[in-house]
Amino acid sequence: MIKNNSTVRVSCHCGSIQLDVFLANGLEEIIRCNCSICSRGKGFAMVCVPSEALKIIEGNESITEYIFNTATSPHNFCIVCGIHTHHQSRSRPDKICINVACIDEVNVKDYNNVIDFDGINHPRDL
Ligand SMILES: [Zn+2]
């Protein structure tokens, strides 16, 4: 289990992208969203952190942005392996959401504290 106040390594599948993320609250709040992109991303689960908690260690040149719909939440993908590593939160613009499945040695299925977010009816779309 990930402890509070720990820094974890986040990587894409091919390893081009290497991020360090500081998790003040560990994985206390894992969010699973049902919006059009998250539901297509194999049941994407995320943990959201302040922007300054994310540091790109390697692979800045491998990160591409997918911008869609309201263009307020760029999603970042690896140009080599296509894995979605992180994106800008729409509900909380000061936060970056990290793909929990990309945290080294974390299996999201080991966590039963997953919060469902009704992103298909996003408050910013109403
Ligand atoms: Zn990759």
Side-chain angles (χ1 to χ4, degrees), residues 7-26:
T7 298
V8 294
R9 179 54 61 99
V10 172
S11 56
C12 64
H13 188 260
C14 72
S16 296
I17 299 174
Q18 299 286 327
L19 314 170
D20 273 352
V21 177
F22 179 73
L23 296 173
N25 301 314

Side-chain angles (χ1 to χ4, degrees), residues 15 56 70-71 82 110:
I56 298 170
T70 59
D110 293 340

Side-chain angles (χ1 to χ4, degrees), residues 32-46 75 84 117 119-120:
R32 181 171 286 128
C33 174
N34 65 357
C35 80
S36 59
I37 189 164
C38 289
S39 58
R40 282 170 175 77
K42 302 178 182 175
F44 184 80
M46 64 189 117
H75 280 48
H84 169 194
F117 178 71
I120 205 163

Side-chain angles (χ1 to χ4, degrees), residues 12-17 62 78-83:
C12 64
H13 188 260
C14 72
S16 296
I17 299 174
S62 298
C78 174
I79 58 171
V80 180
C81 67
I83 294 297

